[in-house]
Amino acid sequence: MNANNPAQVMTPQQFEQALRDKGAYYHIHHPYHIAMHNGQATREQIQGWVANRFYYQTSIPLKDAAIMANCPDPQTRRKWVQRILDHDGHGDSEGGIEAWLRLGEAVGLDREVLLSEERVLPGVRFAVDAYVNFARRAVWQEAACSSLTELFAPQIHQSRLDSWPQHYQWIEAEGYDYFRGRLSQANRDVEHGLQLALEYCNTAEKQQRMLEILQFKLDILWSMLDAMTMAYELNRQPYHSVTQQAVWHRGRLL
């Protein structure tokens, strides 16, 4: 009874382990991220990552709102809404989006540039939009559990806190507040998301589908870094063979 034998239902322990095993494909293992961790990324590559990742950050509340809109269970919504508040801010809490804007300023980007989305690569936009659209259309439990890449998130946030200050002393220290905040938030979100997955995926078919959905989310994160690799490492930004101008579309069309 394991993930390689879809005919049989995995025990909750086996299913959780199968989900965690997907961490082998987390974007912490992408060469672009490895280069950032090892201090091998240029200023342009760091700035490009921050600018493009900001589109993902601003899309997370849209994804979470879509999940809540499809969820009929008030108890789940009461818990899930905290994710939106974490990003958008509430009361005296500035929220993760504001913290990311300060990260942008810490790496030398104007917040107006981030907010304009002018540096968002088409490949990144398409990947992130696919995630939001999935959340809008999927069964709410499946959309919710697509967030389970959070299983691996604390590791990636800690790795940035450990390595970036050593390698990139030009980054202002206050820029790291986002990563510090997500260490505890991600662990809390994992607990809730994992509980939903273990309760909902009570058949072999549901378990295999959820593993495929988690792989879909991993594909999104990996594809974002593929697009950045083309643009900022290989110097092949979109339409590079025709023009050096950033002619691709900007802004959310839908």
Side-chain angles (χ1 to χ4, degrees), residues 173 182 230:
R182 285 303 296 167
M230 288 291 292

Side-chain angles (χ1 to χ4, degrees), residues 102-250:
R102 289 195 287 106
L103 171 62
E105 292 173 329
V107 302
L109 296 170
D110 292 333
R111 65 171 49 211
E112 291 76 15
V113 170
L114 291 175
L115 291 167
S116 73
E117 301 178 3
E118 66 184 63
R119 294 192 58 172
V120 179
L121 297 164
V124 170
R125 189 181 295 276
F126 296 152
V128 174
D129 288 354
Y131 185 31
V132 176
N133 288 331
F134 174 79
R136 288 172 176 156
R137 297 162 54 191
V139 174
W140 74 265
Q141 292 97 330
E142 293 184 346
C145 295
S146 69
S147 300
L148 278 175
T149 46
E150 293 158 345
L151 286 166
F152 325 118
Q155 177 188 4
I156 207 169
H157 295 315
Q158 189 63 58
S159 76
R160 292 165 187 152
L161 290 170
D162 291 342
S163 66
W164 282 31
Q166 301 176 41
H167 297 310
Y168 310 109
Q169 297 181 11
W170 52 273
I171 298 178
E172 298 175 8
E174 58 268 24
Y176 296 116
D177 288 346
Y178 175 86
F179 304 133
R180 294 189 187 96
R182 285 303 296 167
L183 286 174
S184 59
Q185 291 172 358
N187 283 322
R188 179 206 64 210
D189 293 345
V190 162
E191 183 179 351
H192 184 212
L194 194 55
Q195 177 189 357
L196 287 174
L198 295 178
E199 290 176 356
Y200 177 71
C201 298
N202 55 6
T203 68
E205 181 181 12
K206 285 182 178 180
Q207 289 175 343
Q208 292 304 315
R209 178 165 171 80
M210 195 58 70
L211 288 169
E212 186 70 6
I213 288 170
L214 183 55
Q215 185 62 57
F216 160 73
K217 173 63 183 304
L218 291 164
D219 294 348
I220 286 167
L221 297 172
W222 197 274
S223 296
M224 290 169 63
L225 290 179
D226 282 347
M228 290 181 237
T229 297
M230 288 291 292
Y232 308 126
E233 184 178 341
L234 301 180
N235 296 316
R236 293 184 176 183
Q237 67 177 9
Y239 305 102
H240 70 278
S241 60
V242 211
T243 178
Q244 293 303 306
Q245 301 299 315
V247 297
W248 53 86
H249 75 285
R250 293 165 173 76

